[in-house]
Amino acid sequence: EKAAHDINICALSGVSDQMGSGDCGPALSNFQVADIAGGALPAINAILTALFHRERTGKGAFLDISMAGSLFASNVLPYATRETFKRSPERGGDILTGALACYGYYETSDGGWIAVGALEPQFWERFCNLIDRPDLIPARLSLDGATKEAVREIIKSKPKGAWIELLEGTDCCVTPVLTYGEAASQMALTETNSVVIPDPIDGDLSQPINCWNNEGTKPAVRAPRHGEHSRAILLSFGITERNINGFVEDGLIAEPEVSTAD
């Protein structure tokens, strides 16, 4: 019954406590974890499931989506750790938050970062051979810290560009951490990841998308401008044109200049 933003929902669901390294406080994310993974996606799943259930049974459904509850239920690894060892995992101390050398971020000599996700034996073996440290292969799941420190020193010995070249052609779940600009350039190379939205005022806009149907058609409708539909909505409520014009003159509603051609 209280107001909350993404950061608050993450905090209340136990997610924030697990984000970040062990030597610092909780880390902020520029990806809205609670809004999307706790709200939008569970809602979509519930709606589609209810529609399918209605088609099969003819019965409707009441959907109650809790962002905090959905996020808590999705946080499966801390839950598994707590149920198995009867304790909550420490920040930066679980298998996917920094305890293992084979899964984590490592800084390069020029301030860049490399993401090592070589969890499976075959990937870890390839990575260890790539860095000329086959002696580390048996320590894939070691928690002693020595293996992680060894990998840290090795990654730190080369700049990010050198690691990108070295990793080229090697399939070991190890990748550079791209800046947003670098990622945008990479995504631009894949046409299926974006759609061009025509806009007669601001010009065409390239918009990233995350889904489309199997016929290959993509959504290409721009977002409405502030106040663009104010007049039509007010008219639908029975408010007269004269009163609406008065609202515009008094600055109560906005009517941006838009083209109706699109």
Side-chain angles (χ1 to χ4, degrees), residues 231 235 239-249:
R231 182 174 291 272
L235 285 172
I239 299 176
T240 65
E241 286 276 6
R242 180 178 179 180
N243 285 336
I244 295 174
N245 291 335
F247 295 158
V248 174
E249 292 175 3

Side-chain angles (χ1 to χ4, degrees), residues 91-249:
R91 184 184 310 114
D94 210 353
I95 60 173
L96 296 187
T97 60
L100 300 179
C102 63
Y103 198 91
Y105 297 115
Y106 294 92
E107 189 176 10
T108 62
S109 64
D110 59 348
W113 292 85
I114 297 295
V116 176
L119 279 171
E120 291 79 8
Q122 69 273 23
F123 297 135
W124 178 247
E125 181 176 347
R126 292 172 193 169
F127 174 66
C128 290
N129 288 329
L130 182 71
I131 62 176
D132 296 323
R133 288 296 303 270
D135 58 301
L136 296 179
I137 294 175
R140 178 174 62 92
L141 300 180
S142 174
L143 299 174
D144 61 9
T147 305
K148 190 170 184 177
E149 184 59 32
V151 174
R152 181 181 289 111
E153 292 180 0
I154 293 169
I155 300 296
K156 189 76 172 179
S157 68
K158 300 179 186 295
K160 178 178 169 180
W163 283 111
I164 292 176
E165 293 181 8
L166 189 62
L167 290 165
E168 186 68 30
T170 302
D171 190 13
C172 58
C173 291
V174 180
T175 57
V177 176
L178 300 181
T179 65
Y180 188 81
E182 291 170 337
S185 297
Q186 291 278 9
M187 293 297 105
L189 300 178
T190 308
E191 293 183 359
T192 56
N193 284 333
S194 63
V195 62
V196 176
I197 301 174
D199 191 309
I201 294 180
D202 293 332
D204 293 349
L205 172 68
S206 178
Q207 174 70 39
I209 58 175
N210 57 16
C211 65
W212 52 91
N213 65 34
N214 58 9
E215 295 179 352
T217 58
K218 305 175 185 178
V221 180
R222 63 171 178 81
R225 288 180 173 79
H226 176 61
E228 180 175 343
H229 301 124
S230 297
R231 182 174 291 272
I233 292 172
L234 291 173
L235 285 172
S236 72
F237 291 153
I239 299 176
T240 65
E241 286 276 6
R242 180 178 179 180
N243 285 336
I244 295 174
N245 291 335
F247 295 158
V248 174
E249 292 175 3

